[in-house]
Amino acid sequence: MLANIWVSLAVLPAALALLILASDYFLNGAISLATRFRLPEFVVGSLIVAVGTSAPELAINLVAGLEGQGDIVVSNLVGSNIVNVCLGIGVAGLFVAYGVIQRAYAVAFVLGLVGALLLLLATVLSANGSGLSVLPQWVGIGLLVVFGIHIWRSLSGEHEEASDDIEAVNRPIWISIAFLIGGCAAMAFFADMAVQSAVFISEYVGIPEAVIGATVIAAGGSLPEIFSCVAAARRKMPNIVLGNIAGSQIFNLFGILGATLLVVEVEYSTALGIDMAFLIGATVVLFALGWSGARMRGLMPYALLATYVAYGVYLVSISV
């Protein structure tokens, strides 16, 4: 046990450092491809970066759905979106100042908000007397249709162009693709390594399992999104941060959930409606401060981080 704790103490900072390095390579690949194909920041952030960092969750949810673990399917997607909005935008906001949210990003966040509202409505309307709600398979078709329309509109340029601050990068395309795919895979691997080490350390020092689940594990699944946001913030590219989180929201609620429902009907706890309410609240906070003056926008990262702390307290309170 003593040897293992020293190993974990050494692995955790190393995994986080390598995660930072992997996120830089991933973002380098995305920027390089964007430069080559003249893609705007909105497409880079909301499609390439967002889908790349959220792709591992698709496999997790498909497996959970097939095993009848509906609570994991829904809580993973909703919890991931809460972490993305609160920690992704919140932590990145400590490194870069956000401007007024532009139309393309606002529309994407509205779509994510609508998805959360519809999921909450479906949860309430399909609730039965045993505390369970059900999402039928046919809902998956509608979700995937909406996701397909979002992709088509994004790629067709039917949105207001964001100011394009992507620097020119001259690199062979195969290297760019290797950076993109390799960086994405490395982020998933080192994020999992960091979470396992953090959990072992927490258990060793006696932190309750409920607290570990509400903090380390809940946030750990979204480390790729968070670190890619920080990498973009360090490059002073706030639109990539916003596009990443907005795109991840849409991919989770429409793409991943839709694909899961095509495979299997999902039955889950109605109590997860409270988590959906937290997600809606976090998005409302983002809108309220994102469209305010510079001083109020400066408070946005701290307000989002405070919202996540409140969510963590809620999770701990229902677990103990």
Side-chain angles (χ1 to χ4, degrees):
M1 177 69 74
L2 184 60
N4 288 336
I5 187 63
W6 284 111
V7 170
S8 296
L9 287 171
V11 167
L12 180 58
L16 291 176
L18 290 170
L19 187 54
I20 294 172
L21 183 64
S23 65
D24 276 332
Y25 275 101
F26 172 75
L27 193 60
N28 271 330
I31 291 173
S32 181
L33 289 174
T35 302
R36 177 174 291 273
F37 295 105
R38 298 182 180 178
L39 298 175
E41 281 183 316
F42 177 77
V43 173
V44 178
S46 67
L47 292 183
I48 299 177
V49 177
V51 173
T53 54
S54 299
E57 294 169 357
L58 176 59
I60 294 173
N61 279 271
L62 286 174
V63 172
L66 290 172
E67 293 180 351
Q69 299 174 320
D71 281 357
I72 293 180
V73 172
V74 177
S75 64
N76 181 38
L77 295 179
V78 175
S80 176
N81 277 5
I82 293 173
V83 172
N84 289 345
V85 171
C86 294
L87 295 187
I89 296 178
V91 174
L94 302 178
F95 297 89
V96 67
Y98 296 111
V100 176
I101 299 178
Q102 299 179 28
R103 182 178 180 275
Y105 302 94
V107 170
F109 276 116
V110 166
L111 181 56
L113 177 61
V114 169
L117 287 168
L118 289 177
L119 183 57
L120 177 58
L121 181 62
T123 299
V124 173
L125 294 180
S126 65
N128 54 38
S130 58
L132 294 174
S133 298
V134 179
L135 289 175
Q137 288 182 273
W138 62 265
V139 171
I141 299 175
L143 294 176
L144 288 176
V145 168
V146 174
F147 184 60
I149 293 174
H150 164 69
I151 293 177
W152 176 75
R153 285 179 59 86
S154 298
L155 294 177
S156 66
E158 292 189 12
H159 54 76
E160 182 178 298
E161 289 292 337
S163 59
D164 204 342
D165 296 325
I166 297 179
E167 67 268 24
V169 178
N170 295 317
R171 183 181 293 125
I173 188 170
W174 68 270
I175 294 181
S176 300
I177 294 175
F179 278 9
L180 187 71
I181 298 176
C184 182
M187 282 194 298
F189 177 78
F190 291 122
D192 181 64
M193 184 182 295
V195 170
Q196 290 185 30
S197 299
V199 168
F200 186 87
I201 295 169
S202 300
E203 291 175 341
Y204 183 85
V205 299
I207 297 177
E209 184 177 330
V211 177
I212 297 172
T215 55
V216 177
I217 297 177
S222 291
L223 281 178
E225 285 94 336
I226 295 172
F227 274 82
S228 62
C229 285
V230 172
R234 288 170 52 222
R235 293 169 178 264
K236 306 303 178 185
M237 302 171 70
N239 284 334
I240 296 294
V241 175
L242 296 175
N244 180 10
I245 300 305
S248 293
Q249 278 193 299
I250 295 170
F251 184 51
N252 285 343
L253 292 177
F254 292 93
I256 295 179
L257 183 57
T260 303
L261 289 174
L262 279 187
V263 176
V264 63
E265 180 179 88
V266 174
E267 186 177 62
Y268 58 98
S269 172
T270 304
L272 288 172
I274 298 177
D275 297 65
M276 299 168 201
F278 267 103
L279 174 58
I280 293 168
T283 309
V284 170
V285 169
L286 173 64
F287 275 123
L289 296 179
W291 282 340
S292 301
R295 179 171 297 181
M296 295 300 292
R297 288 199 307 274
L299 297 176
M300 184 169 67
Y302 306 99
L304 291 175
L305 291 172
T307 301
Y308 183 72
V309 170
Y311 178 60
V313 171
Y314 160 72
L315 290 178
V316 172
S317 70
I318 64 173
S319 301
V320 295

